[in-house]
Amino acid sequence: LAKTTQPISMDSYEGQEVNITCSHNNIATNDYITWYQQFPSQGPRFIIQGYKTKVTNEVASLFIPADRKSSTLSLPRVSLSDTAVYYCLVGDIPGSGSARQLTFGSGTQLTVLP
Amino acid sequence: NAGVTQTPKFRVLKTGQSMTLLCAQDMNHEYMYWYRQDPGMGLRLIHYSVGEGTTAKGEVPDGYNVSRLKKQNFLLGLESAAPSQTSVYFCASIRGLADNEQFFGPGTRLTVL
């Protein structure tokens, strides 16, 4: 299983850009990097996925350096409603035949302060 | 579309009782998953299914059984509940291998006394 390391918690203020870095030193060639967001008492919600370089969608950007041993989720101008746990996953989806299945670590608790 | 729904939302069991959790999706997704989440921890995969009639074990399958008789439904069974199975259970689905985005249900909070 691909192991990831993230900060346990982060604080930010409304309107700031937040960068959450995830370390995944044993990432394999076929592994994708996926980020999920989870609010209390809800299931996780997909945010973004990438393989290399930079990926951007309407809610976030994902930066992946050339060696792919880490990745950074960037949330522009956060608001109070972005307070949640953010999970970084590396691997392939269960059932794909890959032994490197996506696993959820403990995540990063982001708290946005007013 | 309702997406992924789970029944029931809450349940309290006594040790040794049995129950079935139902997951239903209306998106015609091929892959379905059952996870458990314990306090302060990430999700751990219990069982999954890559299509109707097929199931496979995940990371923590002991004490659970599953069935996928219909494509839209994925059932998780506890034959003899134990306090260690107190957790929040999430179901998820994916359209197929070309799409890695998992859609999660709202969860079932299970307490085993």
Side-chain angles (χ1 to χ4, degrees):
Chain A
L1 298 175
K3 178 177 172 56
T4 60
T5 302
Q6 304 175 232
I8 295 174
S9 64
M10 294 180 67
D11 290 342
S12 181
Y13 291 94
E14 280 191 293
Q16 289 189 334
E17 178 185 73
V18 171
N19 295 309
I20 305 174
T21 297
C22 178
S23 172
H24 29 79
N25 291 321
N26 67 341
I27 190 169
T29 303
N30 294 331
D31 287 346
Y32 279 77
I33 300 160
T34 311
W35 286 80
Y36 283 81
Q37 174 191 58
Q38 186 179 27
F39 297 113
S41 301
Q42 294 186 25
R45 184 174 69 116
F46 174 92
I47 301 175
I48 197 166
Q49 179 179 270
Y51 183 79
K52 60 181 179 180
T53 63
K54 176 184 175 181
V55 180
T56 297
N57 61 23
E58 62 274 11
V59 297
S61 294
L62 179 59
F63 298 92
I64 305 169
D67 66 5
R68 302 200 328 122
K69 294 185 183 299
S70 67
S71 60
T72 298
L73 174 72
S74 181
L75 304 172
R77 299 182 60 80
V78 294
S79 64
L80 296 176
S81 62
D82 291 318
T83 293
V85 177
Y86 291 82
Y87 294 98
C88 164
L89 288 74
V90 172
D92 209 342
I93 62 171
S96 65
S98 169
R100 300 179 61 80
Q101 297 177 358
L102 292 176
T103 56
F104 286 80
S106 298
T108 297
Q109 171 66 58
L110 172 66
T111 301
V112 180
L113 304 169
Chain B
N1 287 349
V4 179
T5 58
Q6 293 183 231
T7 309
K9 289 184 170 53
F10 304 93
R11 186 72 185 268
V12 178
L13 290 179
K14 294 181 179 178
T15 297
Q17 288 185 318
S18 63
M19 78 163 295
T20 299
L21 282 67
L22 171 63
C23 175
Q25 53 93 4
D26 61 1
M27 298 173 284
N28 201 34
H29 284 180
E30 291 292 334
Y31 288 43
M32 296 186 73
Y33 308 88
W34 275 108
Y35 293 89
R36 62 175 288 173
Q37 185 173 33
D38 299 315
M41 298 180 65
L43 283 73
R44 292 185 292 170
L45 183 64
I46 305 172
H47 285 280
Y48 64 94
S49 168
V50 301
E52 182 178 320
T54 70
T55 63
K57 295 180 180 179
E59 181 186 358
V60 289
D62 294 342
Y64 305 95
N65 57 75
V66 288
S67 65
R68 183 107 181 262
L69 299 180
K70 294 182 178 180
K71 185 177 183 179
Q72 64 268 33
N73 295 336
F74 195 27
L75 278 63
L76 177 70
L78 288 74
E79 290 186 350
S80 180
S84 61
Q85 294 178 303
T86 294
S87 189
V88 180
Y89 292 85
F90 290 102
C91 176
S93 69
I94 294 179
R95 181 163 52 216
L97 281 181
D99 187 350
N100 279 358
E101 179 179 350
Q102 293 190 60
F103 291 82
F104 283 84
T108 294
R109 185 174 297 275
L110 175 65
T111 301
V112 183
L113 303 175

